[in-house]
mmCIF file of all heavy atoms in Angstrom:
data_model
loop_
_atom_site.group_PDB
_atom_site.id
_atom_site.type_symbol
_atom_site.label_atom_id
_atom_site.label_comp_id
_atom_site.label_asym_id
_atom_site.label_seq_id
_atom_site.Cartn_x
_atom_site.Cartn_y
_atom_site.Cartn_z
ATOM 1 N N LEU A 377 117.264 80.978 95.251
ATOM 2 C CA LEU A 377 117.960 79.720 95.564
ATOM 3 C C LEU A 377 116.948 78.604 95.836
ATOM 4 O O LEU A 377 117.177 77.452 95.466
ATOM 5 C CB LEU A 377 118.884 79.901 96.775
ATOM 6 C CG LEU A 377 120.041 80.887 96.589
ATOM 7 C CD1 LEU A 377 120.789 81.076 97.902
ATOM 8 C CD2 LEU A 377 120.990 80.393 95.501
ATOM 9 N N VAL A 378 115.823 78.971 96.473
ATOM 10 C CA VAL A 378 114.764 77.971 96.698
ATOM 11 C C VAL A 378 114.246 77.478 95.342
ATOM 12 O O VAL A 378 114.096 76.273 95.112
ATOM 13 C CB VAL A 378 113.608 78.570 97.539
ATOM 14 C CG1 VAL A 378 112.457 77.571 97.662
ATOM 15 C CG2 VAL A 378 114.102 78.989 98.919
ATOM 16 N N VAL A 379 114.019 78.425 94.419
ATOM 17 C CA VAL A 379 113.535 78.066 93.076
ATOM 18 C C VAL A 379 114.560 77.154 92.384
ATOM 19 O O VAL A 379 114.201 76.110 91.823
ATOM 20 C CB VAL A 379 113.283 79.346 92.232
ATOM 21 C CG1 VAL A 379 113.051 79.005 90.762
ATOM 22 C CG2 VAL A 379 112.098 80.120 92.801
ATOM 23 N N ALA A 380 115.828 77.524 92.471
ATOM 24 C CA ALA A 380 116.867 76.702 91.829
ATOM 25 C C ALA A 380 116.881 75.303 92.435
ATOM 26 O O ALA A 380 117.014 74.302 91.724
ATOM 27 C CB ALA A 380 118.236 77.375 91.993
ATOM 28 N N GLY A 381 116.704 75.223 93.755
ATOM 29 C CA GLY A 381 116.669 73.930 94.449
ATOM 30 C C GLY A 381 115.544 73.050 93.920
ATOM 31 O O GLY A 381 115.703 71.834 93.799
ATOM 32 N N LEU A 382 114.408 73.671 93.589
ATOM 33 C CA LEU A 382 113.272 72.901 93.058
ATOM 34 C C LEU A 382 113.599 72.283 91.703
ATOM 35 O O LEU A 382 113.075 71.240 91.338
ATOM 36 C CB LEU A 382 112.045 73.814 92.888
ATOM 37 C CG LEU A 382 111.411 74.383 94.156
ATOM 38 C CD1 LEU A 382 110.374 75.433 93.796
ATOM 39 C CD2 LEU A 382 110.769 73.267 94.961
ATOM 40 N N GLY A 383 114.476 72.975 90.955
ATOM 41 C CA GLY A 383 114.818 72.495 89.609
ATOM 42 C C GLY A 383 116.079 71.642 89.589
ATOM 43 O O GLY A 383 116.467 71.127 88.538
ATOM 44 N N ALA A 384 116.738 71.509 90.751
ATOM 45 C CA ALA A 384 118.030 70.797 90.776
ATOM 46 C C ALA A 384 117.861 69.317 91.104
ATOM 47 O O ALA A 384 116.907 68.940 91.788
ATOM 48 C CB ALA A 384 118.941 71.446 91.831
ATOM 49 N N GLU A 385 118.795 68.521 90.636
ATOM 50 C CA GLU A 385 118.806 67.103 91.028
ATOM 51 C C GLU A 385 119.391 67.004 92.430
ATOM 52 O O GLU A 385 120.358 67.699 92.751
ATOM 53 C CB GLU A 385 119.674 66.303 90.048
ATOM 54 C CG GLU A 385 118.967 66.110 88.721
ATOM 55 C CD GLU A 385 119.859 65.492 87.661
ATOM 56 O OE1 GLU A 385 120.951 64.995 87.994
ATOM 57 O OE2 GLU A 385 119.449 65.539 86.490
ATOM 58 N N GLY A 386 118.812 66.172 93.262
ATOM 59 C CA GLY A 386 119.353 65.980 94.618
ATOM 60 C C GLY A 386 118.872 67.042 95.588
ATOM 61 O O GLY A 386 117.878 67.736 95.347
ATOM 62 N N VAL A 387 119.639 67.185 96.675
ATOM 63 C CA VAL A 387 119.182 68.014 97.798
ATOM 64 C C VAL A 387 119.931 69.351 97.840
ATOM 65 O O VAL A 387 121.159 69.393 97.759
ATOM 66 C CB VAL A 387 119.384 67.246 99.130
ATOM 67 C CG1 VAL A 387 119.018 68.115 100.319
ATOM 68 C CG2 VAL A 387 118.557 65.971 99.119
ATOM 69 N N THR A 388 119.173 70.425 97.980
ATOM 70 C CA THR A 388 119.762 71.758 98.150
ATOM 71 C C THR A 388 119.425 72.235 99.552
ATOM 72 O O THR A 388 118.270 72.144 99.980
ATOM 73 C CB THR A 388 119.162 72.736 97.114
ATOM 74 O OG1 THR A 388 119.511 72.279 95.813
ATOM 75 C CG2 THR A 388 119.689 74.151 97.295
ATOM 76 N N GLN A 389 120.436 72.727 100.243
ATOM 77 C CA GLN A 389 120.210 73.244 101.603
ATOM 78 C C GLN A 389 120.531 74.735 101.617
ATOM 79 O O GLN A 389 121.651 75.132 101.270
ATOM 80 C CB GLN A 389 121.095 72.474 102.591
ATOM 81 C CG GLN A 389 120.888 72.945 104.025
ATOM 82 C CD GLN A 389 121.491 71.989 105.046
ATOM 83 O OE1 GLN A 389 121.966 70.908 104.692
ATOM 84 N NE2 GLN A 389 121.481 72.390 106.301
ATOM 85 N N ILE A 390 119.544 75.536 101.998
ATOM 86 C CA ILE A 390 119.732 76.995 101.953
ATOM 87 C C ILE A 390 119.824 77.540 103.372
ATOM 88 O O ILE A 390 118.906 77.356 104.183
ATOM 89 C CB ILE A 390 118.558 77.659 101.194
ATOM 90 C CG1 ILE A 390 118.507 77.104 99.764
ATOM 91 C CG2 ILE A 390 118.698 79.177 101.155
ATOM 92 C CD1 ILE A 390 117.129 76.851 99.269
ATOM 93 N N GLY A 391 120.944 78.186 103.666
ATOM 94 C CA GLY A 391 121.151 78.787 104.989
ATOM 95 C C GLY A 391 120.840 80.283 104.960
ATOM 96 O O GLY A 391 120.531 80.850 103.908
ATOM 97 N N LYS A 392 120.924 80.924 106.102
ATOM 98 C CA LYS A 392 120.622 82.364 106.285
ATOM 99 C C LYS A 392 119.216 82.696 105.785
ATOM 100 O O LYS A 392 119.006 83.660 105.030
ATOM 101 C CB LYS A 392 121.666 83.223 105.578
ATOM 102 C CG LYS A 392 123.049 83.099 106.189
ATOM 103 C CD LYS A 392 123.871 84.339 105.964
ATOM 104 C CE LYS A 392 125.236 84.182 106.595
ATOM 105 N NZ LYS A 392 126.285 84.905 105.949
ATOM 106 N N THR A 393 118.265 81.861 106.180
ATOM 107 C CA THR A 393 116.900 82.036 105.672
ATOM 108 C C THR A 393 116.177 83.218 106.311
ATOM 109 O O THR A 393 115.052 83.525 105.926
ATOM 110 C CB THR A 393 116.075 80.749 105.894
ATOM 111 O OG1 THR A 393 116.145 80.429 107.282
ATOM 112 C CG2 THR A 393 116.610 79.588 105.084
ATOM 113 N N CYS A 394 116.825 83.875 107.288
ATOM 114 C CA CYS A 394 116.190 85.069 107.882
ATOM 115 C C CYS A 394 115.891 86.096 106.790
ATOM 116 O O CYS A 394 114.906 86.826 106.856
ATOM 117 C CB CYS A 394 117.085 85.674 108.960
ATOM 118 S SG CYS A 394 118.738 85.990 108.391
ATOM 119 N N TYR A 395 116.730 86.154 105.754
ATOM 120 C CA TYR A 395 116.465 87.094 104.654
ATOM 121 C C TYR A 395 115.143 86.753 103.969
ATOM 122 O O TYR A 395 114.369 87.635 103.606
ATOM 123 C CB TYR A 395 117.583 87.024 103.607
ATOM 124 C CG TYR A 395 118.873 87.651 104.056
ATOM 125 C CD1 TYR A 395 120.018 86.889 104.213
ATOM 126 C CD2 TYR A 395 118.952 89.014 104.311
ATOM 127 C CE1 TYR A 395 121.217 87.456 104.625
ATOM 128 C CE2 TYR A 395 120.138 89.594 104.724
ATOM 129 C CZ TYR A 395 121.266 88.808 104.873
ATOM 130 O OH TYR A 395 122.435 89.386 105.276
ATOM 131 N N ILE A 396 114.906 85.439 103.786
ATOM 132 C CA ILE A 396 113.702 85.004 103.055
ATOM 133 C C ILE A 396 112.445 85.319 103.880
ATOM 134 O O ILE A 396 111.424 85.738 103.330
ATOM 135 C CB ILE A 396 113.814 83.496 102.708
ATOM 136 C CG1 ILE A 396 115.081 83.265 101.856
ATOM 137 C CG2 ILE A 396 112.578 83.000 101.981
ATOM 138 C CD1 ILE A 396 115.386 81.807 101.547
ATOM 139 N N LYS A 397 112.550 85.180 105.203
ATOM 140 C CA LYS A 397 111.407 85.442 106.103
ATOM 141 C C LYS A 397 110.953 86.901 106.048
ATOM 142 O O LYS A 397 109.861 87.233 106.474
ATOM 143 C CB LYS A 397 111.791 85.135 107.564
ATOM 144 C CG LYS A 397 112.120 83.708 107.807
ATOM 145 C CD LYS A 397 110.891 82.928 108.214
ATOM 146 C CE LYS A 397 111.234 81.473 108.233
ATOM 147 N NZ LYS A 397 110.218 80.546 108.203
ATOM 148 N N ARG A 398 111.833 87.765 105.582
ATOM 149 C CA ARG A 398 111.448 89.178 105.495
ATOM 150 C C ARG A 398 110.295 89.387 104.521
ATOM 151 O O ARG A 398 109.567 90.372 104.625
ATOM 152 C CB ARG A 398 112.648 90.035 105.053
ATOM 153 C CG ARG A 398 113.660 90.293 106.149
ATOM 154 C CD ARG A 398 114.695 91.316 105.706
ATOM 155 N NE ARG A 398 114.062 92.370 104.948
ATOM 156 C CZ ARG A 398 114.484 92.844 103.787
ATOM 157 N NH1 ARG A 398 115.582 92.377 103.243
ATOM 158 N NH2 ARG A 398 113.835 93.789 103.160
ATOM 159 N N GLY A 399 110.162 88.473 103.552
ATOM 160 C CA GLY A 399 109.171 88.733 102.506
ATOM 161 C C GLY A 399 108.198 87.603 102.210
ATOM 162 O O GLY A 399 107.264 87.810 101.441
ATOM 163 N N TYR A 400 108.443 86.409 102.765
ATOM 164 C CA TYR A 400 107.554 85.277 102.465
ATOM 165 C C TYR A 400 107.008 84.739 103.772
ATOM 166 O O TYR A 400 107.775 84.341 104.645
ATOM 167 C CB TYR A 400 108.331 84.165 101.740
ATOM 168 C CG TYR A 400 108.840 84.604 100.389
ATOM 169 C CD1 TYR A 400 110.058 85.267 100.267
ATOM 170 C CD2 TYR A 400 108.083 84.386 99.243
ATOM 171 C CE1 TYR A 400 110.524 85.701 99.034
ATOM 172 C CE2 TYR A 400 108.541 84.806 97.999
ATOM 173 C CZ TYR A 400 109.762 85.465 97.904
ATOM 174 O OH TYR A 400 110.217 85.897 96.689
ATOM 175 N N GLU A 401 105.682 84.723 103.902
ATOM 176 C CA GLU A 401 105.175 84.237 105.183
ATOM 177 C C GLU A 401 105.184 82.715 105.246
ATOM 178 O O GLU A 401 105.286 82.140 106.316
ATOM 179 C CB GLU A 401 103.804 84.831 105.538
ATOM 180 C CG GLU A 401 102.670 84.499 104.646
ATOM 181 C CD GLU A 401 101.346 85.096 105.149
ATOM 182 O OE1 GLU A 401 101.319 85.843 106.142
ATOM 183 O OE2 GLU A 401 100.328 84.801 104.517
ATOM 184 N N ASN A 402 105.119 82.064 104.101
ATOM 185 C CA ASN A 402 104.956 80.617 104.116
ATOM 186 C C ASN A 402 105.541 79.925 102.912
ATOM 187 O O ASN A 402 104.900 79.061 102.326
ATOM 188 C CB ASN A 402 103.457 80.307 104.126
ATOM 189 C CG ASN A 402 102.997 79.992 105.517
ATOM 190 O OD1 ASN A 402 103.760 79.409 106.284
ATOM 191 N ND2 ASN A 402 101.785 80.386 105.824
ATOM 192 N N ILE A 403 106.748 80.269 102.518
ATOM 193 C CA ILE A 403 107.260 79.726 101.249
ATOM 194 C C ILE A 403 107.349 78.197 101.307
ATOM 195 O O ILE A 403 107.026 77.513 100.330
ATOM 196 C CB ILE A 403 108.610 80.396 100.865
ATOM 197 C CG1 ILE A 403 108.931 80.122 99.396
ATOM 198 C CG2 ILE A 403 109.747 80.003 101.769
ATOM 199 C CD1 ILE A 403 110.030 80.991 98.814
ATOM 200 N N VAL A 404 107.720 77.650 102.459
ATOM 201 C CA VAL A 404 107.885 76.195 102.580
ATOM 202 C C VAL A 404 106.514 75.506 102.533
ATOM 203 O O VAL A 404 106.305 74.546 101.782
ATOM 204 C CB VAL A 404 108.660 75.853 103.876
ATOM 205 C CG1 VAL A 404 108.621 74.371 104.176
ATOM 206 C CG2 VAL A 404 110.097 76.342 103.752
ATOM 207 N N LYS A 405 105.550 76.052 103.295
ATOM 208 C CA LYS A 405 104.209 75.459 103.333
ATOM 209 C C LYS A 405 103.536 75.581 101.956
ATOM 210 O O LYS A 405 102.934 74.630 101.452
ATOM 211 C CB LYS A 405 103.377 76.191 104.386
ATOM 212 C CG LYS A 405 102.303 75.340 104.999
ATOM 213 C CD LYS A 405 101.735 76.038 106.218
ATOM 214 C CE LYS A 405 100.210 75.890 106.169
ATOM 215 N NZ LYS A 405 99.515 76.996 106.750
ATOM 216 N N ASP A 406 103.647 76.753 101.347
ATOM 217 C CA ASP A 406 103.023 76.966 100.025
ATOM 218 C C ASP A 406 103.558 75.968 99.009
ATOM 219 O O ASP A 406 102.797 75.318 98.295
ATOM 220 C CB ASP A 406 103.317 78.381 99.504
ATOM 221 C CG ASP A 406 102.431 79.439 100.157
ATOM 222 O OD1 ASP A 406 101.485 79.046 100.871
ATOM 223 O OD2 ASP A 406 102.699 80.634 99.960
ATOM 224 N N LEU A 407 104.900 75.874 98.928
ATOM 225 C CA LEU A 407 105.491 75.004 97.904
ATOM 226 C C LEU A 407 105.220 73.536 98.213
ATOM 227 O O LEU A 407 104.988 72.752 97.291
ATOM 228 C CB LEU A 407 106.999 75.285 97.775
ATOM 229 C CG LEU A 407 107.340 76.634 97.126
ATOM 230 C CD1 LEU A 407 108.817 76.945 97.263
ATOM 231 C CD2 LEU A 407 106.933 76.658 95.647
ATOM 232 N N SER A 408 105.207 73.162 99.498
ATOM 233 C CA SER A 408 104.928 71.743 99.758
ATOM 234 C C SER A 408 103.469 71.432 99.464
ATOM 235 O O SER A 408 103.154 70.325 99.017
ATOM 236 C CB SER A 408 105.383 71.272 101.135
ATOM 237 O OG SER A 408 104.787 72.017 102.116
ATOM 238 N N SER A 409 102.569 72.406 99.630
ATOM 239 C CA SER A 409 101.164 72.125 99.284
ATOM 240 C C SER A 409 101.011 71.955 97.760
ATOM 241 O O SER A 409 100.045 71.379 97.291
ATOM 242 C CB SER A 409 100.234 73.222 99.801
ATOM 243 O OG SER A 409 100.303 74.343 98.954
ATOM 244 N N LEU A 410 102.001 72.430 97.005
ATOM 245 C CA LEU A 410 101.971 72.238 95.542
ATOM 246 C C LEU A 410 102.725 70.959 95.131
ATOM 247 O O LEU A 410 102.912 70.698 93.946
ATOM 248 C CB LEU A 410 102.603 73.443 94.830
ATOM 249 C CG LEU A 410 101.839 74.778 94.941
ATOM 250 C CD1 LEU A 410 102.658 75.922 94.340
ATOM 251 C CD2 LEU A 410 100.476 74.694 94.250
#
Side-chain angles (χ1 to χ4, degrees):
L377 296 174
V378 175
V379 169
L382 293 171
E385 286 172 12
V387 176
T388 297
Q389 181 166 354
I390 300 140
K392 294 207 180 150
T393 55
C394 53
Y395 287 116
I396 301 175
K397 296 269 171 198
R398 283 189 40 228
Y400 296 86
E401 64 177 5
N402 261 326
I403 196 166
V404 169
K405 208 168 137 212
D406 282 351
L407 289 170
S408 58
S409 78
L410 293 173

